[in-house]
Amino acid sequence: MRLSSPRIPPLTDSEMDADQREITAPMAAQGRVINIFRTLVRAPKAARAFLAWGNYVLSRRNDLPPRQRELVILRVGYLCKSGYEWTQHVEIGLRDGLTSTEIPRIKQGADAPEWSEDDRLLLRATDELHHDKFITEATWTALRARFSEKQCMDLVFTVGQYTQVSMILNTFGVPLDEGQTLDPDLKGD
C-alpha cells in the first residue's frame, strides 16, 4: 500500500445519504459494501458511471474467459503497486480458475516458466500497455492469431479499467477490507 491512511476515507453506513445508499444497496444485499465503493460513493455521479463500465469489464459480456481476465487484472494490480487491487483479485482469480501456484508467478510476468502461450501473450500485452500505452505489432499479431478481435479489444478495455482502478485506489489510499492481508511485495514504495 502506498499510503498508511486514507486520503479519502470510506463512508460508514451511517454517513451515507439516500443517493449513496441507493448506489450501494445492491452490494449490501449481496453481503457487504467493500471499501473501494464506500470511497467512490462520495462522488455519486462518478460512482454510477464507474460501476456501469466496471460491470461490463467483469461480466460475461467481456469475451476474455474469467481466468484470463483475472490474470490480466492481477498483472495490472501488481505493475501499479496496488495492494488493494491485488488483494481483492487474488480471491476472485482463485475462484475463476487461477491456481495458488500461478498467483505468485503473475508477479514475474510473461517470462516466468510454465505459462501457456495464451497466458504469456496476455501478460506481455498487459506489460506493453502498462509501460507504453500501446501493444506492439508483433504482440498484436500473435494475439490476433489466438484471440478474436473482440477478445483483443476486451483485453485493452480490461487493462485500461484496472489501471484506472489502481490509480484511484493508490491515490485515495483505499484501505484493505476487514479480514484481508496485504501481500508483502506490495507494501509501500
Side-chain angles (χ1 to χ4, degrees):
M1 303 287 282
R2 302 255 183 125
L3 299 172
S4 58
S5 61
R7 289 176 173 163
I8 302 175
L11 291 174
T12 64
D13 290 344
S14 64
E15 293 173 313
M16 289 187 201
D17 64 24
D19 193 29
Q20 293 163 329
R21 281 192 300 276
E22 179 185 327
I23 293 167
T24 59
M27 298 166 218
Q30 292 183 345
R32 70 179 180 151
V33 181
I34 60 176
N35 284 338
I36 183 175
F37 302 121
R38 289 181 176 280
T39 301
L40 291 176
V41 80
R42 287 183 174 274
K45 290 177 185 175
R48 286 182 196 278
F50 175 89
L51 286 167
W53 179 244
N55 286 337
Y56 167 81
V57 172
L58 286 176
S59 76
R60 292 185 186 149
R61 295 173 290 167
N62 181 334
D63 283 354
L64 285 177
R67 181 194 164 281
Q68 291 177 325
R69 180 197 68 223
E70 291 304 316
L71 176 76
V72 168
I73 291 170
L74 281 164
R75 184 64 180 162
V76 170
Y78 183 73
L79 291 171
C80 292
K81 299 178 184 174
S82 180
Y84 187 97
E85 190 57 43
W86 178 266
T87 302
Q88 289 292 339
H89 280 271
V90 163
E91 293 176 28
I92 297 167
L94 289 170
R95 280 196 310 263
D96 284 345
L98 289 169
T99 67
S100 58
T101 59
E102 289 174 321
I103 298 292
R105 200 171 353 129
I106 292 168
K107 297 173 187 177
Q108 298 170 42
D111 294 331
E114 300 180 26
W115 289 122
S116 70
E117 187 57 29
D118 286 358
D119 290 347
R120 193 175 310 285
L121 281 168
L122 292 170
L123 289 165
R124 184 172 299 118
T126 300
D127 284 8
E128 289 177 7
L129 285 167
H130 175 78
H131 295 295
D132 195 32
K133 314 312 175 256
F134 179 76
I135 296 175
T136 64
E137 192 61 37
T139 302
W140 185 259
T141 299
L143 283 166
R144 287 295 288 127
R146 301 181 80 87
F147 295 92
S148 71
E149 179 177 79
K150 172 74 165 47
Q151 287 175 314
C152 290
M153 292 175 73
D154 283 336
L155 166 63
V156 176
F157 297 154
T158 302
V159 171
Q161 166 68 2
Y162 280 89
T163 298
Q164 176 188 24
V165 169
S166 294
M167 291 185 326
I168 289 167
L169 294 166
N170 288 345
T171 301
F172 296 170
V174 176
L176 294 181
D177 291 291
E178 187 175 325
Q180 293 183 322
T181 303
L182 182 63
D183 183 298
D185 290 338
L186 292 166
K187 289 185 177 181
D189 256 356

